[in-house]
Amino acid sequence: GSPLIMGTAAMGDWVWAWADFSTLLMPGLLGLIGFAALASRPRARGTGSPRVVFVHPDLGLGGAERLVVDMAVALQRRGFDVAIYTSFHDPARSFTETHDGCLEVVVRGGWIPRAIRGRCHILCAVLRSLSLTLSLVWLEWTRRRGACVAIVDQLSAPVPLLRLVGLRVVFYCHFPDKLLVQQRRPSAWQALYRLPFDALEEATTGCAHAVLVNSAFTRGVYARAFPLLRRARPPPAVLYPCIDVERQQPLPPPAVATARASSPAGALAVVSFLSLNRYERKKNVALALRAVAGLPTELRARVHLDVAGGCDPRVRENVE
């Protein structure tokens, strides 16, 4: 039970995880990278419409997925040929446009596990994204689809390979992945393990022809997280998440706080708050609960809080 023994055991787990990866996955990965170099000249397009492909790691239910779907539908309406490449897509737990025939969805790379012995999540995520990207190259090349633009979402690892095959690449950054991990206060071993991936994230993000962020706040975080990119290239442009106003039903008028004449203090009407997030620790849903609990008793009775969000049984935090 000494710290030395515990540290040695933890290090042993990491060594075994890396050994499993090297033995089972590395040969196939090197072969796929070799194919990418051979396929670097795209064939001619089979259709007259410019083709845009999206690369997204997990096409489930969430804000990032809603953004990708809305962008894909908008481009399709403007005459583009659009496809979404992803490593996971469950029609029973996805947005309607991804399984009703509206959008072309291609699933590849799911054969790589999400983790190795419960560890190496970022390593597996990078490998899944590379496998997905190389499948994209193969399918676009062999089917003579000839994509000309790739929009990469969330994970920047595929960007250099897509540039290698001659595509114009746009990377959409929701939040630097390196900072999401830091918020979990990793151990010294985890921080050391993350070093190459943090460097890879900045390097591959810088390979994109254009970088977009979802808010001015994220643009400021991006500048602090990637100091080399801040000095080497212009700041990213802000593209706020879009809303399909033609498809969405109009919302009822919001409840407005009004003074009640019967109360000398001018009591407020009931005010409703909605927290819509995934059930993950980094979303800090507990903050909303603590905020409501901290209100004075007479005010708390007039506040209504709804907490909703997607629950994915594949994600340990959702289950916990």
Side-chain angles (χ1 to χ4, degrees):
S2 69
L4 177 61
I5 294 176
M6 294 176 64
T8 303
M11 184 178 180
D13 289 342
W14 288 108
V15 171
W16 277 112
W18 277 98
D20 288 346
F21 156 69
S22 301
T23 303
L24 300 177
L25 302 180
M26 185 59 79
L29 177 63
L30 293 176
L32 290 174
I33 292 176
F35 160 74
L38 293 175
S40 58
R41 288 190 177 183
R43 297 186 178 185
R45 287 193 299 270
T47 64
S49 302
R51 183 166 172 83
V52 179
V53 292
F54 288 81
V55 181
H56 185 79
D58 191 328
L59 198 60
L61 292 172
E65 291 73 31
R66 185 68 258 175
L67 170 69
V68 167
V69 170
D70 286 339
M71 291 176 66
V73 171
L75 287 171
Q76 195 166 257
R77 288 176 180 172
R78 289 180 174 269
F80 289 88
D81 184 16
V82 178
I84 301 177
Y85 284 80
T86 182
S87 296
F88 180 83
H89 177 243
D90 180 6
R93 191 179 179 277
S94 61
F95 292 111
T96 304
E97 297 91 337
T98 65
H99 61 256
D100 68 352
C102 175
L103 294 171
E104 178 187 356
V105 176
V106 182
V107 182
R108 293 290 188 278
W111 60 274
I112 298 177
R114 295 171 63 91
I116 301 175
R117 298 188 177 186
R119 301 182 184 272
C120 299
H121 290 84
I122 183 61
L123 171 63
C124 292
V126 169
L127 291 175
R128 285 165 67 94
S129 69
L130 292 177
S131 175
L132 171 65
T133 304
L134 292 167
S135 296
L136 181 159
V137 172
W138 169 258
L139 293 175
E140 296 292 316
W141 187 70
T142 57
R143 297 177 183 178
R144 299 180 181 270
R145 307 299 294 275
C148 56
V149 176
I151 301 177
V152 181
D153 190 57
Q154 290 190 334
L155 203 60
S156 60
V159 171
L161 284 177
L162 293 170
R163 287 202 62 162
L164 176 67
V165 298
L167 274 68
R168 303 290 292 181
V169 183
V170 177
F171 176 62
Y172 194 94
C173 176
H174 297 269
F175 201 82
D177 185 73
K178 60 188 292 187
L179 298 184
L180 292 176
V181 175
Q182 287 179 4
Q183 291 175 358
R184 301 171 194 159
R185 297 182 180 181
S187 67
W189 293 115
Q190 290 172 326
L192 182 63
Y193 159 75
R194 280 288 313 196
L195 275 177
F197 295 105
D198 293 345
L200 178 69
E201 182 182 13
E202 184 166 10
T204 54
T205 298
C207 290
H209 291 96
V211 179
L212 304 175
V213 292
N214 59 4
S215 66
F217 167 77
T218 303
R219 181 167 58 186
V221 174
Y222 173 97
R224 294 190 296 271
F226 303 132
L228 296 178
L229 295 183
R230 184 179 67 240
R231 294 190 291 267
R233 59 184 298 164
V238 176
L239 178 62
Y240 292 101
C242 52
I243 299 175
D244 188 349
V245 294
E246 296 180 0
R247 195 172 188 275
Q248 299 297 326
Q249 296 295 324
L251 296 175
V256 180
T258 59
R260 294 181 179 177
S262 59
S263 174
L268 299 179
V270 174
V271 178
S272 296
F273 293 93
L274 172 64
S275 172
L276 187 60
N277 291 288
R278 294 189 302 275
Y279 290 105
E280 298 178 6
R281 292 183 181 88
K282 64 187 178 186
K283 297 299 183 180
N284 199 13
V285 177
L287 178 61
L289 300 175
R290 290 196 299 268
V292 173
L295 294 173
T297 304
E298 62 277 7
L299 185 57
R300 191 190 318 148
R302 301 183 181 92
V303 173
H304 185 81
L305 173 64
D306 289 301
V307 178
C311 182
D312 189 343
R314 297 174 302 135
V315 181
R316 187 195 310 175
E317 289 186 13
N318 288 188
V319 177
E320 293 174 347

